Amino acid sequence: MTTTPENLRDQVVSAFGAAPDPRVRELFTKLAQHLHDFVIETNLTVDEWLAAVEFLTAVGKMSDDKRQEFVLLSDVFGISALVDFLNGPQGEDATENALLGPFYVSDAPLLDNGDSIVKQYEGEPLRLEGRVTGQGGAPLIGAQVEVWQIAANGAYDGQDPDMVENNMRGRFLTDEDGRYWLMTNRPFGYSVPTDGPVGRLLDLLQRDPMRAAHIHLRVSAEGYQPLVTQLYDADCRYLDTDVVFGVRESLVTKLDQVEDGTLRARFDVRLVRAT
Ligand SMILES: [Fe+2]
């Protein structure tokens, strides 16, 4: 059968439908259907198609092992958030997950509770503390709490070649009561990188490139599903407009002051058993 405007979509879908792996088949036939529908519904022009090709090419050229413009593109489309929602922890009182982001490293230094992750660029001091619990609220002893955050100069350590290694990141183990505590800086809202094609896209769409003020955490314990999440400062003005749709109400944390005037964030974590 030759190809016509009327049968093109079905021809593509059935060509993809020959893939032997059922999941591959499902993913690619659905993708073809939705892409064809998009082109038909928008009556896409040749110039627009070419602009899309050039845009994706630029996204690829901007990506390397230090910078992932494709992840940023996924983030600003809310696709990363959607995948997180679909795959988040399911369990009573389970702490919600949030985007990993591009700056996680798995081998941050192991620090003692009470230590500071601020090696360079002092900001407003913040004591971060909390308790890690499992099923039924039992404390998890020796759970690993990995923390990372933007430095007060506006960069993550992977973004700034002059920054001290592992500045603003560390691993902590919970004590016999499941508690962890450390010193850091108060987080602040910052712009995602706007010097690449995704930045131009945000500009075209008149979207604010700011992320809400957050601290990244990854919490893991034997027998439990690792949790990747973020704590958000309740007083941040970007909570409702976070450019990557990462804010969850349950993760918004009010910072309060302890006796000596230091700011404190209390962030408890409930993990779900591994299946
Ligand atoms: Fe971040």
Side-chain angles (χ1 to χ4, degrees), residues 119-251:
K119 295 194 176 78
Q120 197 181 15
Y121 306 121
E122 295 286 337
E124 187 179 354
L126 174 73
R127 179 184 158 102
L128 170 61
E129 61 182 48
R131 197 157 174 255
V132 181
T133 55
Q135 224 160 19
L140 294 179
I141 302 160
Q144 178 172 267
V145 180
E146 295 164 272
V147 179
W148 68 105
Q149 191 182 334
I150 198 165
N153 72 337
Y156 281 88
D157 64 348
Q159 287 178 301
D160 177 355
D162 297 327
M163 198 179 289
V164 173
E165 201 180 356
N166 289 313
N167 186 36
M168 303 304 292
R169 59 174 83 241
R171 290 186 293 136
F172 298 84
L173 299 177
T174 56
D175 70 4
E176 61 283 347
D177 198 26
R179 293 181 189 281
Y180 72 93
W181 64 99
L182 58 116
M183 291 303 298
T184 181
N185 291 333
R186 182 179 198 161
F188 51 88
Y190 64 85
S191 170
V192 295
T194 55
D195 57 340
V198 175
R200 292 200 295 279
L201 176 66
L202 292 173
D203 196 39
L204 178 71
L205 299 171
Q206 292 282 292
R207 282 189 56 199
D208 190 341
M210 296 300 284
R211 284 232 56 208
H214 61 275
I215 299 173
H216 294 271
L217 296 105
R218 183 181 185 278
V219 184
S220 53
E222 208 178 317
Y224 286 82
Q225 295 173 28
L227 173 76
V228 172
T229 192
Q230 298 181 25
L231 170 170
Y232 292 92
D233 181 346
D235 290 323
C236 176
R237 65 193 172 101
Y238 303 112
L239 289 177
D240 294 334
T241 56
D242 184 50
V243 67
V244 302
F245 309 97
V247 181
R248 313 281 169 261
E249 196 178 348
S250 69
L251 303 177

Side-chain angles (χ1 to χ4, degrees), residues 67 84 240:
R67 166 119 180 222
D84 266 3
D240 294 334

Side-chain angles (χ1 to χ4, degrees), residues 43-63:
N43 214 357
L44 200 73
T45 67
V46 173
D47 283 351
E48 289 162 347
W49 171 83
L50 194 59
V53 169
E54 284 170 356
F55 173 76
L56 290 173
T57 304
V59 171
K61 284 183 176 169
M62 187 55 97
S63 300

Side-chain angles (χ1 to χ4, degrees), residues 11 51 90 135:
Q11 280 197 350
Q90 310 286 326
Q135 224 160 19

